[in-house]
Amino acid sequence: MATKVLSIAQVTFKSYIRSKVVYGLCGIVLLYLLTLTLILFENRAINGSTQFETNFVSISCEMFSFVFLFVSVISSAYLITKEIKERTIIFVLTKPLDSLKYIVGKWMGVCFFLLFTTFLFALPFHIIGLIFFKKFYIYQDFFFATMFIAMSMLSAFVMMLSLKTTPVPAIVFPILFSTKWIGQLINGLSNTEPSGQLLVIGKQIGLPFLYVLYYILPSFEEVTLYPSDIVWGKEFFINYLFTLAYAADITLIYLLVCVYLFNRNKKLLVGSVT
Amino acid sequence: MKTISVKGLKKTYKSGFLSKKSTLAVEDLSFEIEEGEIYGFLGPNGAGKTTTLLCLLGLIPYDEGKITIFGEPLFANGHLFSSIGYVPEEPALYGFLTAEEYLLHSALLRGVSKERIKITVEDCLKKLELKETAKRLVRTYSKGMKQRLQIAEAILNQPKILFLDEPTRGLDPLGVKIVRNLIEELAQKGTTVFLNSHILSEVEMTCTRIGILNKGRMVWEGSPKDISKENEGHRILFRLPLGSTLADDFKKVEGSDNVYEIISASSKELFEKIDEIKFCNGEIIEVIPAKRLEDYFIEKVKGNGD
């Protein structure tokens, strides 16, 4: 099973790497690097050294999450609709492959691509940090890792939506949704308000991972953090764990819905291209 | 055991508001294909050939009837796909992969063992003469090369059934020859081939049995030999010496100076005519069945439809 899933994931990853998407991303990275440097020089004149560094971390993280959000949504939305449009879905459907393996493989492919994107975006951040502040922001790597998890979860949502019809609602809806919830969650990595609410809702509707976490961490709702306090510590790990559990739950739901939709629409999907 | 068995197949396409409008694609279609047969499926545009093929592959549902592959319903047994190859009418390839990567991916999905995978892929590339361009991205391939790659993908893992939908479309004469030889080679090894084609000469040359479909119904089924048996008449093309006094007795072939034709109604008459031509110092160029598959196809389709 693993061989087939990994093969699909690998092919999906190659579809991004060998497309124009990567050139676009490189362009964004360059722009990001340029903007970051400009902001740094602007701030150097106004603020003191500590504030200057805080601004650098805060601005780069916000920019990163904003760009990354679009990357993950757009790269996931066309994943299956493109297969239908280009008729390569027939290649998949005429192989001894069940829908779960196909969906998992596709999703893993997006995750690999998001990991690659994380690396691509984190690189200028670390380079500038090393040049200007003579620091390598290790704790920020956790931020990027958490963001990756949250974004892969978002990708799962997008894939689910795009599976049924066209990529349009799959692009619009998550952007609206994520700016409110996920974006806030990732940006801050700290805002207890939505996290606490989601944890309680998750527990009430029986999402397994959040349910377990609720009992492991009874003091979770008391945790309060703000963007400037992103540091290595207990609170950081609590937030990290929460995001993980949330991502795992949503992924689980996503997989079940996807398999259902795929089986139900399998004939419809092929019918629409033949 | 029959490799493919279709009994009373019916398929309608629903369209319009609340799916109230229905178009009949295939009706009461029944046929059986034995192991190692090359079955040619013919029919005019819109006859229901591709619909039948998609039903056979389990890609679209059908309204009535029963389809079994090796005695099992295909749609309920996805594992059967590991022994089935399919070449669609339009190439459906991953353009961002190289030909080698594409075949490796397909082999993995088909469950080819890791030890055999490289040899299998190389062998297929070699058979379809794609080895030299194996490292090139598929999107840079010509139409014919794409079609050959599609065929290479379908024959990976030596399929027990090969479904071909217009396989020689876009191929040059050399490519056509490669594919034809490959089909014959596979059939000799026991692969059942289902060939859906518009090119009648190709079907006539390659297939061991032919089914003609018109307006969703099978109008004729038999072998190319049956056509000759049913029509004993022959067309004889011959050349007479210039200025021959007997030339006026024969029909001249348009656009030639001294090439004539004669139609014999039976085998007995054929030999008599040949003797007659030889008596006039004529040279026989070609003796062909008066009615070829093309004539037969038109006759059957028109007779049934109009």
Side-chain angles (χ1 to χ4, degrees):
Chain A
M1 174 181 169
T3 323
K4 288 183 182 180
V5 172
L6 283 174
S7 182
I8 292 170
Q10 198 183 15
V11 166
T12 308
F13 180 69
K14 279 179 186 169
S15 75
Y16 290 121
I17 294 298
R18 292 177 185 171
S19 72
K20 287 170 188 165
V21 174
V22 172
Y23 301 113
L25 275 180
C26 290
I28 292 169
V29 170
L30 280 173
L31 199 73
Y32 168 67
L33 197 70
L34 196 73
T35 319
L36 208 63
T37 319
L38 281 172
I39 290 168
L40 276 174
F41 277 103
E42 283 286 316
N43 283 338
R44 188 194 283 269
I46 303 162
N47 303 312
S49 164
T50 318
Q51 186 60 39
F52 175 37
E53 192 179 339
T54 313
N55 284 350
F56 163 68
V57 172
S58 176
I59 291 167
S60 56
C61 285
E62 277 179 31
M63 277 181 68
F64 186 90
S65 63
F66 183 74
V67 173
F68 205 51
L69 178 79
F70 282 91
V71 170
S72 59
V73 168
I74 289 167
S75 58
S76 324
Y78 288 94
L79 205 62
I80 292 167
T81 43
K82 200 179 165 197
E83 287 246 44
I84 297 166
K85 196 182 158 197
E86 291 177 3
R87 302 168 64 92
T88 46
I89 192 84
I90 289 174
F91 169 86
V92 179
L93 294 173
T94 51
K95 299 288 170 298
L97 181 78
D98 61 61
S99 31
L100 182 69
K101 284 178 199 168
Y102 173 67
I103 301 284
V104 171
K106 278 273 164 193
W107 182 60
M108 276 174 71
V110 184
C111 289
F112 288 155
F113 178 65
L114 291 178
L115 260 177
F116 168 77
T117 319
T118 312
F119 172 76
L120 205 69
F121 278 81
L123 205 64
F125 173 80
H126 287 298
I127 292 170
I128 293 176
L130 274 171
I131 295 170
F132 283 90
F133 307 107
K134 310 280 182 272
K135 271 186 192 171
F136 191 76
Y137 295 96
I138 294 172
Y139 64 86
Q140 287 301 333
D141 289 336
F142 287 92
F143 170 82
F144 292 135
T146 314
M147 175 123 71
F148 158 70
I149 292 162
M151 281 303 154
S152 58
M153 174 192 80
L154 177 66
S155 299
F157 260 131
V158 177
M159 268 180 71
M160 183 187 80
L161 285 166
S162 65
L163 191 67
K164 204 177 171 189
T165 48
T166 62
V168 180
I171 293 170
V172 177
F173 176 72
I175 289 174
L176 293 172
F177 172 80
S178 54
T179 44
K180 174 82 179 157
W181 291 103
I182 303 169
Q184 200 175 357
L185 185 74
I186 303 154
N187 264 343
L189 238 190
S190 54
N191 198 331
T192 315
E193 194 72 9
S195 319
Q197 279 175 9
L198 277 175
L199 188 69
V200 175
I201 294 167
K203 182 240 165 191
Q204 280 173 348
I205 62 169
L207 296 177
F209 291 99
L210 283 177
Y211 195 87
V212 171
L213 196 70
Y214 185 83
Y215 286 104
I216 294 174
L217 303 166
S219 62
F220 185 83
E221 282 174 86
E222 292 163 21
V223 178
T224 308
L225 269 173
Y226 291 96
S228 55
D229 301 324
I230 304 168
V231 286
W232 181 285
K234 180 190 162 196
E235 292 82 1
F236 185 88
F237 279 104
I238 289 172
N239 276 284
Y240 192 74
L241 269 176
F242 166 77
T243 318
L244 263 176
Y246 185 51
D249 277 331
I250 298 300
T251 307
L252 197 70
I253 296 169
Y254 152 75
L255 286 175
L256 292 173
V257 177
C258 260
V259 170
Y260 167 74
L261 275 179
F262 191 82
N263 283 332
R264 207 190 65 167
N265 290 343
K266 187 178 173 183
K267 293 170 186 178
L268 185 78
L269 290 175
V270 181
S272 67
V273 292
T274 50
Chain B
M1 192 205 293
K2 306 281 180 199
T3 309
I4 300 170
S5 169
V6 178
K7 276 178 191 157
L9 183 72
K10 186 186 175 185
K11 168 74 189 167
T12 46
Y13 287 107
K14 301 255 189 287
S15 60
F17 183 64
L18 296 173
S19 303
K20 279 188 176 173
K21 195 182 167 190
S22 66
T23 314
L24 184 74
V26 177
E27 194 181 20
D28 195 26
L29 182 67
S30 302
F31 62 90
E32 283 177 335
I33 306 174
E34 299 278 352
E35 192 180 344
E37 261 192 317
I38 307 174
Y39 191 86
F41 207 49
L42 292 173
N45 291 333
K49 299 187 303 291
T50 303
T51 300
T52 310
L53 192 60
L54 293 173
C55 287
L56 283 174
L57 285 161
L59 291 177
I60 53 168
Y62 45 89
D63 308 327
E64 284 171 28
K66 196 182 174 190
I67 296 177
T68 52
I69 309 279
F70 301 118
E72 285 183 77
L74 181 75
F75 203 68
N77 296 283
H79 68 271
L80 283 175
F81 276 122
S82 55
S83 48
I84 286 173
Y86 171 51
V87 179
E89 197 177 350
E90 295 284 334
L93 302 157
Y94 292 115
F96 53 84
L97 294 179
T98 65
E100 194 178 25
E101 284 170 342
Y102 178 72
L103 292 181
L104 281 171
H105 177 52
S106 172
L108 277 170
L109 295 189
R110 279 169 192 272
V112 178
S113 64
K114 278 184 181 173
E115 300 80 45
R116 277 188 52 228
I117 207 158
K118 279 223 156 182
I119 304 163
T120 312
V121 168
E122 272 187 25
D123 188 40
C124 280
L125 285 167
K126 214 172 167 183
K127 271 183 189 165
L128 271 300
E129 297 189 3
L130 289 167
K131 208 166 177 220
E132 283 173 23
T133 53
K135 305 274 180 199
R136 256 172 66 184
L137 289 182
V138 175
R139 63 173 165 234
T140 64
Y141 270 28
S142 69
K143 200 178 173 187
M145 284 163 89
K146 280 182 185 167
Q147 189 68 359
R148 271 190 279 159
L149 179 63
Q150 192 92 60
I151 295 165
E153 193 274 313
I155 61 159
L156 269 172
N157 208 20
Q158 189 76 34
K160 286 180 184 162
I161 309 175
L162 184 62
F163 291 99
L164 304 160
D165 199 353
E166 304 285 348
T168 51
R169 202 176 170 182
L171 291 181
D172 56 23
L174 189 70
V176 172
K177 196 166 183 281
I178 293 169
V179 173
R180 196 186 299 144
N181 291 343
L182 196 74
I183 292 171
E184 280 164 6
E185 190 192 315
L186 284 166
Q188 276 169 11
K189 286 180 184 170
T191 300
T192 307
V193 182
F194 186 92
L195 177 67
N196 191 355
S197 179
H198 276 111
I199 306 164
L200 300 176
S201 58
E202 178 187 300
V203 173
E204 196 173 17
M205 259 191 274
T206 325
C207 297
T208 51
R209 212 144 62 84
I210 300 164
I212 301 177
L213 196 72
N214 189 33
K215 295 187 176 172
R217 285 173 179 271
M218 187 76 88
V219 290
W220 185 80
E221 200 182 19
S223 69
K225 281 177 191 169
D226 293 339
I227 299 173
S228 319
K229 271 184 201 167
E230 280 181 37
N231 307 282
E232 284 192 348
H234 285 81
R235 181 174 178 238
I236 309 158
L237 286 176
F238 59 98
R239 192 174 283 120
L240 283 179
L242 283 171
S244 172
T245 49
L246 294 162
D248 295 341
D249 298 343
F250 303 109
K251 189 185 167 193
K252 196 186 260 184
V253 173
E254 272 181 49
S256 68
D257 289 337
N258 59 342
V259 179
Y260 298 83
E261 71 170 359
I262 201 167
I263 306 283
S264 67
S266 65
S267 299
K268 193 187 164 197
E269 200 186 329
L270 172 72
F271 293 114
E272 284 173 7
K273 298 273 181 196
I274 289 172
D275 287 341
E276 195 180 334
I277 293 160
K278 282 183 179 170
F279 180 75
C280 304
N281 292 325
E283 180 200 346
I284 306 283
I285 301 168
E286 199 180 15
V287 179
I288 46 172
K291 212 175 245 181
R292 303 196 72 166
L293 180 61
E294 191 180 326
D295 308 306
Y296 211 71
F297 174 79
I298 294 165
E299 184 189 300
K300 291 289 171 190
V301 167
K302 279 198 169 175
N304 180 264
D306 309 319

